[in-house]
Amino acid sequence: MRPETPIRIIAPKVDPYTKEARTRPYAEFDVQGLGIESIEGQDVRSAPPVRLPSLIEPGALLDLYVASSGGVVASESDKGLTSLFDTPLVIVTDLLTVQLVRS
């Protein structure tokens, strides 16, 4: 079975008077739950949670890259075409989890 980790939905608090939120809701997951220790030669064991791109759907393939800040960024994959970067590939499942496809 492929390593997988749950997706958390983060909903911002709404001001009870204006009925508006300061930020938009988003989804995130922990890269450590997938057993990934390094990406592109950089240690990601203490990286903050990875935000999923907005409007992501189950079945989407995502490449994981390291940002200049040391965090991990998820970007929609080019459907498995060859790339200059050897990055992990994950898939979003319909059970609100992310599964590791390629490390």
Side-chain angles (χ1 to χ4, degrees):
M1 179 145 182
R2 297 178 182 161
E4 68 179 354
T5 189
I7 295 173
R8 291 185 303 277
I9 308 297
I10 308 300
K13 294 181 180 179
V14 176
D15 185 337
Y17 301 109
T18 63
K19 307 291 188 227
E20 294 180 5
R22 289 188 176 165
T23 59
R24 298 180 57 168
Y26 61 93
E28 66 183 16
F29 68 93
D30 290 320
V31 72
Q32 295 86 0
L34 297 172
I36 299 172
E37 294 183 358
S38 67
I39 298 174
E40 299 172 343
Q42 295 188 23
D43 185 22
V44 295
R45 288 179 286 191
S46 61
V50 180
R51 276 195 184 192
L52 290 172
S54 60
L55 303 176
I56 202 73
E57 295 183 3
L61 293 171
L62 302 171
D63 287 314
L64 301 179
Y65 298 97
V66 178
S68 59
S69 64
V72 179
V73 178
S75 173
E76 288 195 63
S77 178
D78 52 3
K79 307 297 184 230
L81 298 175
T82 57
S83 171
L84 296 175
F85 302 105
D86 185 23
T87 60
L89 182 69
V90 297
I91 188 168
V92 178
T93 70
D94 56 351
L95 300 174
L96 286 178
T97 62
V98 174
Q99 285 187 349
L100 183 63
V101 175
R102 177 185 73 218
S103 59

